[in-house]
Amino acid sequence: MRGVTGPLIKLAVFLVVTIAATYVLAATITNSSYGKAVTYRADFTDATQVSTGDDVRIAGVRVGTVKGIKVVKVGSRRLAEVKFSVQASRRLPLLTHARIRYRNLVGQRYIEVSPPDPDEVEQAHADPNAVMAKNALIPVQRTENALDLTALFAGFQPLFQGLDPSEINSLSQEIISTLQGEGGSVDLLLQQTADLASSIADKDQVIGNLIDHLNSVLGAVADRDDQLSDLISTLQQFVSGYAADRQAIGGAIDGINQLATETTNLLVKVRPGVKKDVTDLTALAKNLNNGAPVIAGVIQQLPSKIGSLTRTASYGAWFNFYLCSMGGTVTLPGNVTLDPSITPGSAGPRCQS
């Protein structure tokens, strides 16, 4: 028996937790409330998009749900009667107001209930501590419909086309604040709209000049439509030609890449030799600089020497030279020494001139 009791207790705990979690999940999905609730009614001239299960809120806190909607006839008017419930711990005071608010921009609504102003209670000579009875009705005089966003933005469409983006953002923020009831008012919204309209009116001359300039530009383009068409056709042919030669262009790019690689390798190989040549050229330049007087003398005598060489070679493709003087000794085998020296006086008349 003990072996069965433990599993049964665990199974019971598991079932209780599962049922409780399922109930909470179902209540969340169906937007249901917990505990006791008190039902009230409110008349609206327009309850568009209000659905059963929508929230009922006080100061932004969810306190109940919408239970149903139906059409009722009050005198000669047909009104939408919304039936909603509020937690029993939050009884509504007399002269309570009800408003339909936007829950999000998708179009969902919720009912906001709020207490009356002290001045209103005083003027009605009502008890400030009195509460509404169950199933009591909030008349249409104390209810407010949701603003029709479609009609609102459709009316602002011509204005938006001529506004600066920052001005549109400011106007939109005021609209959202007004719709949410979190600050701002219709008066402030209309004031912003009037300021923006005045700003556009002040820029009427600028807008007119802009339109005139655009007309001039469009006229010039229209007068040259043939040239523009030819330009577009030529550009299309140019692009088509490039597209047809894309393989050759790709091959050329590959070749350029290979050439750059080979050039880099060549420069890497010849860099040491170039460095040595530059060093040697530095030494050569230094030697030339040191022998500048000798080089200058050679350059000065070079014209006369070239003239003599030119006259010598004028007889044919050879040069005739006369040995006028020579000095030195020649040692032969056997320790025989010869002196082939020639003096200028013994070489003949030519060497004496």
Side-chain angles (χ1 to χ4, degrees):
M1 194 66 180
R2 292 180 179 177
V4 179
T5 304
L8 287 177
I9 294 175
K10 294 180 180 180
L11 178 61
V13 172
F14 173 76
L15 291 176
V16 170
V17 173
T18 303
I19 293 172
T22 304
Y23 174 75
V24 172
L25 179 61
T28 303
I29 294 175
T30 58
N31 207 15
S32 301
S33 301
Y34 301 102
K36 294 182 179 181
V38 179
T39 302
Y40 302 96
R41 296 172 296 140
D43 288 341
F44 296 91
T45 57
D46 186 359
T48 304
Q49 296 294 331
V50 177
S51 304
T52 301
D54 286 346
D55 292 349
V56 176
R57 301 182 181 182
I58 296 178
V61 179
R62 182 176 177 273
V63 296
T65 56
V66 175
K67 296 298 183 181
I69 305 171
K70 65 179 181 179
V71 178
V72 295
K73 187 174 182 180
V74 180
S76 60
R77 305 173 63 186
R78 292 187 179 273
L79 304 175
E81 183 182 279
V82 179
K83 185 177 182 181
F84 61 94
S85 64
V86 177
Q87 296 173 2
S89 60
R90 302 179 184 275
R91 298 297 298 272
L92 301 182
L94 288 175
L95 305 180
T96 294
H97 291 257
R99 300 177 180 85
I100 299 176
R101 299 292 191 187
Y102 275 85
R103 183 176 178 182
N104 50 46
L105 293 179
V106 176
Q108 290 181 299
R109 311 287 202 271
Y110 69 90
I111 305 296
E112 180 187 44
V113 292
S114 59
D117 295 332
D119 295 340
E120 184 180 358
V121 176
E122 184 178 354
Q123 292 176 3
H125 303 287
D127 183 3
N129 297 321
V131 295
M132 295 177 59
K134 296 181 180 179
N135 205 36
L137 176 67
I138 302 176
V140 69
Q141 292 81 6
R142 298 202 305 272
T143 62
E144 182 180 331
N145 303 329
L147 186 63
D148 190 350
L149 285 180
T150 303
L152 176 63
F153 285 105
F156 280 117
Q157 183 176 3
L159 179 62
F160 287 159
Q161 294 177 353
L163 292 182
D164 184 81
S166 60
E167 296 174 339
I168 295 177
N169 292 337
S170 177
L171 179 61
S172 302
Q173 185 175 2
E174 294 297 337
I175 293 174
I176 294 173
S177 299
T178 301
L179 295 179
Q180 291 180 344
E182 297 177 354
S185 62
V186 176
D187 293 337
L188 182 58
L189 176 62
L190 294 178
Q191 181 180 355
Q192 291 279 344
T193 305
D195 293 340
L196 294 175
S198 299
S199 176
I200 293 177
D202 294 339
K203 299 176 182 178
D204 179 69
Q205 183 65 33
V206 177
I207 296 174
N209 294 335
L210 176 61
I211 294 175
D212 293 338
H213 294 163
L214 287 176
N215 288 333
S216 300
V217 172
L218 293 177
V221 173
D223 294 338
R224 294 170 175 79
D225 56 345
D226 294 336
Q227 292 88 337
L228 182 61
S229 298
D230 294 340
L231 175 62
I232 295 174
S233 300
T234 305
L235 182 61
Q236 191 272 337
Q237 295 174 2
F238 179 73
V239 174
S240 299
Y242 267 111
D245 296 336
R246 60 184 180 275
Q247 294 181 352
I249 295 174
I253 294 175
D254 293 338
I256 292 173
N257 183 32
Q258 185 177 0
L259 175 61
T261 303
E262 295 295 337
T263 303
T264 302
N265 295 333
L266 177 61
L267 292 176
V268 171
K269 293 179 181 179
V270 303
R271 182 177 180 181
V274 173
K275 182 178 181 181
K276 184 177 181 302
D277 292 341
V278 171
T279 303
D280 294 341
L281 285 176
T282 302
L284 175 61
K286 184 177 180 180
N287 293 333
L288 292 176
N289 186 44
N290 293 334
V294 178
I295 296 173
V298 171
I299 293 175
Q300 292 176 357
Q301 296 177 6
L302 189 61
S304 61
K305 299 297 182 182
I306 292 177
S308 301
L309 290 175
T310 303
R311 289 194 300 271
T312 304
S314 62
Y315 297 102
W318 63 85
F319 290 93
N320 290 325
F321 294 98
Y322 293 92
L323 186 60
C324 295
S325 62
M326 183 178 67
T329 57
V330 178
T331 302
L332 299 177
N335 219 6
V336 178
T337 302
L338 297 179
D339 184 6
S341 299
I342 300 175
T343 60
S346 62
R350 290 184 177 272
C351 295
Q352 296 176 359
S353 59

